[in-house]
Amino acid sequence: MRLVVLAALTSTGACSNPRPAAPEPTRQVFAADHVTEPAPASPSCVDDGKPYDPKTLRDRIALLASPKLDGRVPGTAGDLAARAFIAERFRCLGLQPALDAGFEQPFVDGTAKTANLVGLVRGSDPDLRDQIVLVAAHHDHLGHGHLGANDNASGVVALLAVAQALAQRDTAPKRTIVFATFGAEEDGMIGSYYFAKHAPIALDQVVQVINLDMVGSHASRGLVAAMGAFPKHTSRKLLDKLDDKYPKLHVSAGGRARGSDFEPFCKLGIPYVFFWTPDARCYHEACDTVDKIDVARMVDIASLAGDLTAALGDSDVDLLAARKKLGCGA
């Protein structure tokens, strides 16, 4: 995470940037819909365990936040290794590539060549499958001994857990669920802004963004923020219903934020929920290591995000109309 500003976690309000009208999308179809040659088969990992198993999630954070990967700085060997791990999980979970060339969307951050990764679960309802719920997390960090376990290996691992939970369902959600991990967030959300400008999906059909950034430090302040979930939004109504399932989580819903990968989508008027836990001690410090992760509550946050994703994917509410009416504001 580059910067977060909380404006009264329980308050309501619009996105801090003025919202221009959403541009016409350059493409109306998913790239995966017209790929003629199937991708090489990979062994399935859909049933390789429970999606929200604490040990598994901790082990995956330890892998991404290992000294060997040294913070996953864009263009480094650690970045390549992290992207390879994410792409393989996308592949073995049965996600469809969102781009003709596969899961990776290459771009350049300064002189560093890096990429976003984008996969999807195609919706099952003929009337709703073109609508999209976008689940996002950034995979880069600072490096030079700053390993980024909470920021943001935790968000990537939570995203992969949500993807596995959806893959284990008997039927796909009604709406399409797109999973994206963005590069170069720490340099100013370069990857997510690149994605928004060169989207491989129809942005005018994205009805909700769920952004996972720093979800492993609930114990620091005893809360998880769900910013952007304002009272009039469907996401807030669903969160209020789901809250009782997680009695050990303190969910603080609503409030404005800036400085994470929901931002380019908010500027297009797309509603978001930004899950984030304050980290009073180790934010952008070398102590952001796997041993500091509040694993038990991170598992709860990942599961809550998964429940919200599934509920939005299956909701009978006209989410496209709600987006047009409310945008990303209160």
Side-chain angles (χ1 to χ4, degrees), residues 136-147:
H138 74 90
H139 54 253
D140 65 304
H141 193 58
L142 304 176
H144 307 288
H146 294 73
L147 304 181

Side-chain angles (χ1 to χ4, degrees), residues 13 19 60-61 66 76 86 153 158 180 188 206 215 235 254 258 278 319:
R19 175 167 60 87
R60 289 176 183 160
I61 294 174
S66 67
T76 64
I86 296 164
V206 178
V215 294
S235 62
R258 62 183 176 89
L319 297 181

Side-chain angles (χ1 to χ4, degrees), residues 147-274:
L147 304 181
N150 190 29
D151 186 11
N152 185 38
S154 69
V156 171
V157 168
L159 177 149
L160 293 173
V162 173
Q164 184 174 6
L166 283 180
Q168 288 185 355
R169 288 177 34 146
D170 291 334
T171 58
K174 295 177 181 179
R175 292 177 176 83
T176 292
I177 313 297
V178 172
F179 294 92
T181 71
F182 298 126
E185 187 268 357
E186 300 288 2
D187 293 329
M189 297 158 287
I190 305 297
S192 54
Y193 271 101
Y194 183 89
F195 178 95
K197 187 175 180 180
H198 306 279
I201 60 176
L203 290 181
D204 67 341
Q205 294 295 307
V206 178
V207 296
Q208 183 76 46
V209 171
I210 297 174
N211 188 44
L212 298 158
D213 195 350
M214 290 176 52
V215 294
S217 53
H218 184 278
S220 177
R221 295 286 176 84
L223 67 85
V224 55
M227 288 173 279
F230 299 113
K232 294 180 182 179
H233 286 253
T234 302
S235 62
R236 175 63 168 272
K237 295 177 175 66
L238 293 172
L239 281 172
D240 288 345
K241 291 180 181 179
L242 291 167
D243 190 42
D244 290 345
K245 185 178 175 181
Y246 302 94
K248 295 184 179 180
L249 280 184
H250 174 199
V251 181
S252 187
R256 296 184 298 271
R258 62 183 176 89
S260 189
D261 288 312
F262 70 89
E263 192 170 285
F265 306 102
C266 180
K267 288 183 176 182
L268 296 173
I270 301 172
Y272 69 91
V273 176
F274 174 19

Side-chain angles (χ1 to χ4, degrees), residues 303-316:
S303 181
L304 174 60
D307 287 346
L308 179 61
T309 300
L312 287 163
D314 287 329
S315 177
D316 292 327

Side-chain angles (χ1 to χ4, degrees), residues 61-72 78 144-147 289-290:
I61 294 174
L63 184 155
L64 290 171
S66 67
K68 184 177 180 180
L69 270 61
D70 191 27
R72 312 172 302 279
H144 307 288
H146 294 73
L147 304 181
T289 50
V290 67

